[in-house]
Amino acid sequence: MATHERSVEVNAPPERVWQIWSDPSTWPEWNPDVVAISLDGPFATGTTGSMTTKAGGTHAIRLGAVEPGSAFQLETAPVPLTRFTFRCTVAARGERASTISQSVTIGGPLGPIFSAMMGRRIADGFEPLLNGLANAAGGAGGGAT
């Protein structure tokens, strides 16, 4: 399975980025794709909920592995016979800066087809949301990679 990823460097410590990223109530403020999100419990591995996006409507979501302070996965199946796994990470870059990254891996029986057709385009859409997160954390995002 191919993974498609983008990263942005931000002039904010990882703790500040994580504080915002791990609070889904803030996502519609800085993520241009998210209209609404609700979780049925804490921001922890296994918690389920729903997310409404501008392009895709409302979908069931599940938090996969949550590594407090550094990474989490968000899983959804917006298309039958697929499983989209988004991995979101923040890592220290020096003392007061971070690298934030988001990737998508598309699995399931139709995953390879959708990955080839849409993976790069989906990843390109990460750049505005990563820059929005960087701005919300108080450190404008640098160039995406």
Side-chain angles (χ1 to χ4, degrees):
M1 269 185 282
T3 297
H4 307 275
E5 181 177 21
R6 297 292 182 273
S7 298
V8 170
E9 295 184 356
V10 55
N11 294 319
E15 300 80 15
R16 176 66 183 140
V17 174
W18 183 258
Q19 178 184 25
I20 296 165
W21 218 348
S22 63
D23 180 1
S25 71
T26 69
W27 293 7
E29 298 168 14
W30 53 264
N31 184 329
D33 296 326
V34 175
V35 175
I37 182 169
S38 64
L39 294 179
D40 301 325
F43 195 84
T45 301
T47 298
T48 59
S50 65
M51 183 165 59
T52 304
T53 61
K54 289 182 180 174
T58 301
H59 303 286
I61 60 170
R62 178 185 176 278
L63 293 177
V66 175
E67 303 165 35
S70 63
F72 69 94
Q73 291 179 343
L74 187 143
E75 303 165 348
T76 188
V79 179
L81 301 175
T82 65
R83 168 67 53 192
F84 287 58
T85 301
F86 297 88
R87 179 158 174 82
C88 307
T89 63
V90 58
R93 184 178 56 82
E95 290 188 27
R96 305 268 320 140
S98 308
T99 300
I100 52 178
S101 303
Q102 184 161 318
S103 66
V104 63
T105 304
I106 307 172
L110 295 180
I113 295 168
F114 278 93
S115 182
M117 288 175 30
M118 302 171 52
R120 176 176 279 171
R121 189 167 36 118
I122 291 170
D124 287 345
F126 296 159
E127 294 174 19
L129 77 89
L130 292 172
N131 284 319
L133 175 58
N135 288 330
T145 58

